[in-house]
Amino acid sequence: RRSDTGRAAGLGVAVIAVNVLALVFTIVFARLLGASGYGSLAVLLSAFIILMVPGSALQIAAAREVSHDLAVGSPSAGAGVRRWLGRLAIGTMLAAIVAIPLRSLIGALINVDELWAAAAVPVTAMLWMIVCVERGVLQGLQRYRIVGFSLVGEALSRIVFALLLVAVGLDVTGAFLGSALSLAAVALVLLWPLGRALGHVEDDPEKDIRLRELLVGAWVPVIGLTLLLGLQELHIIIVKHEASDDAAGSYAVAAVAAKAIVWIAVGLGMYLLPEAARRGKIGLDARPILMRTLGLIAAAAVPMVLIYAVAGKPLLGAVFGDDLTGASGALPWLGLAMSLLACAYLSVQFLLAMGRATFIWVLGVAIVVEMVALIVIGADLTAVAIALFAVQVLCAGAVLALALRQSIPRAEAYASA
């Protein structure tokens, strides 16, 4: 449990539990809302996931900043967090004030009729930023168990809140608002362990990093994660525009099943980044940590893809219903594509810890190629999945090659932090 692999696997197990709960969420609401309704919910969730990027970048920046301070024994590790959270709370209220009158425009952009749910997308993204800052600081302080429990708590409360809102008649809107309520609840709960962990830290305004400076300094994670999440989610939105509502719903549930491996990589990355940054800071080669986490991804991906290839259609039918098996032929290809994307994600996390930005051009080319290919292919779901696989083979190979060339981080990366 104390080894690199064991502690990384602990967060990985937490994310596996989150994926089980996410699967439960998909099963329940695919059956409650039907193929067309779940297709709209999937697009709302995909739009939210893309807008998660600034929050995820803040989590990376906060984890790296606190890890650096901890590595050199600084007593001010985590200073300024209270002010960060206060400003993000104000930003959340401002996002709601702007999004509500623009709900029709947001709904049109993502092609959904649930306008109040569309307005909630940017607000939910702001709540995500608050939770990310809390988790990033806890990661940097090596409180991995608390981070893992918060992930599971978020996924579980999301189901509960969504069920309650759907039960009172809010349908797709209620199912999506469950995510906002769960994030708000987790943000409040994490204040307690965070306050205990930072109880000894002096909150000196002249010494801590301002939130704006932290986010500006995180421009590389912002761009990198935007491109990664674009590779992960844009195909669902494109299919929603190109295919029928029922076909889009079938593709969405297949994509959810395939993306489970990516969320496992997210959990492993929560350990990989701060540990790689800490070891790099003291001059150690951090590449063995990357290779161990990639090994865990391979161990999860191989059986997943085999199951999807052998029993994809009966599996989708048994879990989601016979009306959502239209993308069963695409499922194994989606599983392969998302497994490769998971490897690319971990390689990017490692390169971010090393202070490198060379991977951005690889992801940029990959997302342009993916978008053009999917628009040309149109509504053929299996062809869409095969195209995604081809793009990910090239993308993951290139990013991993860049990662394996790095061992010691650039000094200027720490100076900017």
Side-chain angles (χ1 to χ4, degrees):
R1 289 199 300 268
R2 296 178 181 178
S3 68
D4 291 333
T5 303
R7 290 196 290 175
L11 279 172
V13 168
V15 179
I16 290 173
V18 170
N19 276 284
V20 172
L21 292 170
L23 179 60
V24 171
F25 181 92
T26 302
I27 294 169
V28 170
F29 292 100
R31 292 182 179 274
L32 286 176
L33 303 174
S36 178
Y38 185 76
S40 295
L41 177 60
V43 170
L44 288 163
L45 291 172
S46 293
F48 162 58
I49 289 170
I50 293 172
L51 290 181
M52 288 166 62
V53 170
S56 299
L58 275 178
Q59 182 168 338
I60 290 170
R64 187 170 62 182
E65 171 68 21
V66 176
S67 294
H68 294 169
D69 288 345
L70 200 64
V72 298
S74 172
S76 61
V81 173
R82 296 175 183 87
R83 268 187 296 281
W84 297 350
L85 295 177
R87 291 187 175 95
L88 287 173
I90 295 172
T92 302
M93 291 185 286
L94 293 176
I97 292 171
V98 173
I100 290 174
L102 295 178
R103 60 188 182 275
S104 296
L105 176 60
I106 300 171
L109 287 174
I110 59 177
N111 195 28
V112 296
D113 297 326
E114 293 78 14
L115 301 184
W116 285 102
V121 170
V123 179
T124 308
M126 289 299 303
L127 291 170
W128 169 255
M129 290 182 73
I130 294 173
V131 173
C132 282
V133 168
E134 294 174 324
R135 285 175 177 159
V137 175
L138 289 169
Q139 282 176 254
L141 295 172
Q142 299 181 319
R143 305 297 204 275
Y144 300 118
R145 182 175 298 181
I146 295 172
V147 173
F149 281 129
S150 77
L151 293 168
V152 177
E154 178 193 334
L156 184 59
S157 61
R158 174 192 178 205
I159 295 173
V160 174
F161 285 128
L163 281 174
L164 291 173
L165 293 174
V166 171
V168 299
L170 293 181
D171 296 325
V172 173
T173 300
F176 180 74
L177 289 178
S179 297
L181 292 179
S182 68
L183 287 169
V186 169
L188 291 174
V189 171
L190 284 179
L191 288 175
W192 181 66
L194 191 62
R196 292 187 61 187
L198 297 176
H200 65 286
V201 177
E202 295 183 4
D203 199 10
D204 187 349
E206 296 182 357
K207 294 182 179 180
D208 67 64
I209 294 177
R210 297 181 184 275
L211 181 64
R212 182 182 64 256
E213 295 170 353
L214 190 68
L215 188 55
V216 169
W219 68 270
V220 175
V222 167
I223 296 174
L225 293 178
T226 298
L227 295 172
L228 281 170
L229 290 176
L231 288 168
Q232 177 183 302
E233 300 296 330
L234 280 176
H235 60 109
I236 299 174
I237 297 175
I238 291 173
V239 168
K240 181 68 166 62
H241 281 276
E242 299 289 335
S244 66
D245 288 344
D246 287 349
S250 297
Y251 186 84
V253 297
V256 167
K259 285 190 297 184
I261 193 72
V262 178
W263 297 116
I264 294 173
V266 171
L268 297 177
M270 289 181 181
Y271 176 80
L272 170 64
L273 186 138
E275 289 298 316
R278 183 179 64 82
R279 295 185 188 201
K281 178 68 173 178
I282 59 178
L284 298 177
D285 187 351
R287 286 175 294 186
I289 303 176
L290 172 62
M291 298 309 298
R292 293 185 189 111
T293 55
L294 289 173
L296 291 171
I297 286 295
V302 171
M304 180 192 78
V305 173
L306 288 175
I307 291 171
Y308 291 166
V310 173
K313 186 171 183 177
L315 179 64
L316 290 176
V319 174
F320 302 110
D322 292 334
D323 60 333
L324 288 168
T325 61
S328 58
L331 183 58
W333 293 104
L334 284 171
L336 286 169
M338 294 300 107
S339 298
L340 289 167
L341 182 60
C343 294
Y345 178 88
L346 288 174
S347 299
V348 166
Q349 292 289 303
F350 179 83
L351 287 165
L352 289 173
M354 297 296 103
R356 293 328 200 262
T358 50
F359 62 88
I360 288 178
W361 71 267
V362 177
L363 300 181
V365 171
I367 200 167
V368 170
V369 172
E370 177 181 309
M371 291 175 63
V372 172
L374 298 192
I375 291 172
V376 171
I377 291 170
D380 187 333
L381 303 184
T382 300
V384 166
I386 293 173
L388 285 175
F389 167 68
V391 171
Q392 292 304 329
V393 168
L394 299 175
C395 179
V399 176
L400 179 58
L402 291 173
L404 293 179
R405 292 172 56 190
Q406 311 301 329
S407 59
I408 304 299
R410 290 180 175 176
E412 59 264 28
Y414 299 113
S416 66

